Amino acid sequence: MLYLWLKALHIVSMVCWFAGLFYLPRLFVYHAQSEDSISKERFSIMERKLYRGIMGPAMIATLAFGIWLISLNPSAYFGQGGWMHAKLTLVVILIGYHHMCGAQVKRFARGENTRSHVFYRWFNEVPVLILLAIVILVVVRPF
């Protein structure tokens, strides 16, 4: 029963993390397009609260529940092909993306953004591709 509870909590925290990973770059798009100081300040506050209040805790919970799940039965995850290695590689890349978003939150707060809204529109697609790959790896287990 513990396994099922951990799995459910892992999925819920992952959904919360991805919600932030999808929304924060969208805020960057709007922030990069804004021209008045009131809008820029408002976006900075929204970005900071989303990153620190939701994304950070959700990432930590996702990782903690995932590690806990693996620790209950490591051979079930690593003894059936290389899908888990590929998934964990994508998770490491996703953690890097998360921290890139955090660095960008700080740049916007300092008024040092040099990128256009078009850049952020493309930047926003990265977590979509990673999510697609992770779901396929976990459900289909192609190798």
Side-chain angles (χ1 to χ4, degrees), residues 16 19-25 27 44-57 98:
C16 293
L21 290 169
F22 292 153
Y23 187 51
L24 186 60
L27 288 176
S44 287
I45 291 167
M46 291 170 67
E47 291 158 359
R48 185 187 76 243
K49 287 183 176 185
L50 176 61
Y51 186 77
R52 291 185 185 166
I54 296 172
M55 292 173 62
H98 175 98

Side-chain angles (χ1 to χ4, degrees), residues 18-54:
F18 268 96
L21 290 169
F22 292 153
Y23 187 51
L24 186 60
R26 176 55 48 186
L27 288 176
F28 294 160
V29 170
Y30 301 139
H31 197 158
Q33 289 177 318
S34 66
E35 296 178 5
D36 61 292
S37 61
I38 293 171
S39 294
K40 289 181 181 187
E41 181 61 29
R42 184 177 298 127
F43 282 120
S44 287
I45 291 167
M46 291 170 67
E47 291 158 359
R48 185 187 76 243
K49 287 183 176 185
L50 176 61
Y51 186 77
R52 291 185 185 166
I54 296 172

Side-chain angles (χ1 to χ4, degrees), residues 104-133:
Q104 194 57 46
V105 166
K106 292 177 184 176
R107 278 189 213 100
F108 270 118
R110 292 189 307 259
E112 298 174 356
N113 176 54
T114 58
R115 297 184 170 126
S116 74
H117 66 93
V118 175
F119 170 83
Y120 294 113
R121 288 181 194 279
W122 286 104
F123 184 71
N124 195 30
E125 300 306 320
V126 172
V128 174
L129 298 174
I130 293 174
L131 178 62
L132 178 65

